[in-house]
Amino acid sequence: MTVTSPPSPTVDDPRRRRAILIAVCVALMAVIASVSGLNVAQQQIALAFGASQSTVLWIINVYALTLAALLLPLGAVGDRWGRKPVLLTGLLIFGVASAAAGLAGSTEVMIAARLLSGVGAAMIMPVTLAVITSTFPESERSRAIGVWTGVAGGGGLLGMYLSAILVDVASWRWLFVLPVALVVAAAVLAARAVPDSREGHGFDVVGSLASLIAVVALIFVLHEGPVRGWTAPETLISLAVGVAATTGFVGWELRHPSPLLDVRLFRERGLASGSVSLLTVFGVQAGIFVVLFPYFQAVLGWSGLRSTFAMLPMALLMMVASGLAPRLAERAGGRATMATGIALGGAGLALMALLVSVDGGYLSVLPGMLAMGLGMGLSMTPSTEAITSSLPRSRQGVASALNDVTREFGTALGVALLGAILSAGYRSAVDSRLPGAPEPVRGNIANAVGDADLVRAARESFVDGWQQAMWAGVVVMALLFVYVVARGPAPSIARGRSASDTRGPAPSTSPGAARLSGEERPRDVGVEEGGVAGQ
């Protein structure tokens, strides 16, 4: 028999719910803009600090790496110590660190400031979604999550547009004004509208440390493997540490009475498929952003503002598709909606790989960008709801953190993997076209200036690296499509019935329930003390 625990208070006033949604989305925009904003200024930062492409990627990626590593433990902190105070504290840390990054005088200071920004962001991001899932009534939750995913998916590009204006009008340092301004606005709105809620769960210190070590080590492997070599001692040691930490984390969580993340929950199809889908989709999206901006700026010679404006069609289509996805999922099912979006995203990558060229310009990549925007928008919302609906309200901080850690871990993986493939492909192509090319040119296309033949060869080499990165993305999306078709969300979750619904069990939940459309009828998941019913 399912034992229900008191849910967090649901806000009945529509005006307050609207204010809550605006507050958490503004906070989320600050976090997302800090990932995407620096993409606009890659070339300027490389020239300002004399940094290689690998160093620039670390400046971008250390933020996403820190965010991904701390999301689960700090999401649990929000559940235990209160979501509102953790949100406000995170906004303070994030704002101070962003200001420090804008004043940085070296790559070391910049990387340190970005790392601290990641700590603040890890306090903010899981709380924003947890507030929605714990305060919005069942009938309104899917639409609110759709708005949240639209901001998470497309809002970063809108943030990049504003960042590009600051970069072109002033300098790249001014792009940190945007997240600071968003933090101030979010803090004022959250202090007024966001309710506080907390749960009395214990804190899993060992699990938190193990998850942090695993994330850092595995991302280091993907980031540095193509550069240092897959058999280099640093790569192999990091891989061994990552695998050992992951294994230790799983073993500890299975035995711990109050685990950071009960890994048995991944038996739920919605949780497993939603997590894998978000990890992959956000990884591919982040990797695409990393290669698109150097193409626009270094190959086509566009300004940061023009480059960002060129991304807006993709961003707007992604946001529109995220808003439409809940309605489509209600009619066609979450699995079909996710699979359609993934197929469109993979097709977009293939189009870009096939059509991109130095002389083809913007029109050679626009069809692929539009297909990706539509596909990713359709896949994000049902994936997010599949995760959050698989855990009870008392664990929504962890559910939201799991949702966020898959997104941010995917972002870090995508930047590391596709960025590294691009860098390695570019360097190899430059070496074949220009034997003995200067090391700065071999390291970054931004340093290819002056001689016309040198510039042309560097641009063609970049396109070669681009195509390798795109085809790698196509393979990843194809594997994801097969997985979602086979193991996507079950029908009940696909049609929006929340697993945290405490109104009572649905009928036909016995082990001998009939099969529907060739699938086992999903059991009703109710709220228990510290877990999910039926486990």
Side-chain angles (χ1 to χ4, degrees), residues 287-304:
I288 294 308
F289 290 167
V290 166
V291 302
L292 270 176
F293 275 98
Y295 175 77
F296 289 146
Q297 293 178 300
V299 176
L300 301 186
W302 289 4
S303 67

Side-chain angles (χ1 to χ4, degrees), residues 8 20-29 31-32 71 74-75 78-79 83-84 86-87 121-137 140-152 194-195 197 271 274-275 278 282 380-393 395-408 498 500:
S8 300
I20 291 171
L21 185 60
I22 292 172
V24 297
C25 284
V26 172
L28 178 65
M29 175 71 81
V31 172
I32 298 299
L71 273 168
L74 292 183
D79 281 342
R83 289 158 188 155
K84 185 172 183 176
V86 169
L87 173 61
M123 302 177 74
I124 297 168
M125 199 170 183
V127 171
T128 60
L129 186 56
V131 167
I132 291 175
T133 55
S134 64
T135 59
F136 275 68
E140 298 292 330
R141 197 174 304 156
S142 294
R143 294 179 183 178
I145 290 175
V147 173
W148 189 93
T149 55
V151 171
V194 173
S197 59
L271 187 68
S275 299
L278 281 182
F282 265 77
M380 287 174 185
T381 301
S383 299
T384 296
E385 186 164 4
I387 294 173
T388 58
S389 62
S390 296
L391 286 172
R393 284 193 177 188
R395 303 293 288 177
Q396 281 304 298
V398 173
S400 302
L402 177 60
N403 174 79
D404 296 336
V405 78
T406 56
R407 301 167 83 105
E408 295 310 315
S498 172
S500 62

Side-chain angles (χ1 to χ4, degrees), residues 191-287:
R192 293 180 178 179
V194 173
D196 191 20
S197 59
R198 67 189 70 202
E199 308 294 338
H201 300 295
F203 187 72
D204 181 6
V205 176
V206 174
S208 298
L209 291 175
S211 68
L212 190 153
I213 294 171
V215 170
V216 172
L218 293 176
I219 291 180
F220 181 87
V221 171
L222 290 175
H223 191 285
E224 295 298 312
V227 178
R228 299 172 184 246
W230 294 108
T231 58
E234 307 97 308
T235 305
L236 294 176
I237 291 172
S238 184
L239 178 61
V241 170
V243 171
T246 302
T247 304
F249 174 79
V250 172
W252 176 264
E253 297 302 286
L254 288 172
R255 296 191 305 271
H256 197 274
S258 182
L260 178 69
L261 175 64
D262 188 347
V263 295
R264 287 179 291 263
L265 293 172
F266 285 96
R267 295 170 182 170
E268 298 292 335
R269 294 175 58 172
L271 187 68
S273 61
S275 299
V276 172
S277 177
L278 281 182
L279 179 103
T280 306
V281 168
F282 265 77
V284 170
Q285 174 186 276

Side-chain angles (χ1 to χ4, degrees), residues 407-445:
R407 301 167 83 105
E408 295 310 315
F409 189 44
T411 295
L413 289 176
V415 171
L417 184 58
L418 296 187
I421 292 173
L422 170 66
S423 297
Y426 167 75
R427 181 181 288 267
S428 175
V430 165
D431 289 342
S432 63
R433 285 189 172 90
L434 295 171
E439 181 59 31
V441 175
R442 296 177 68 240
N444 197 311
I445 189 176

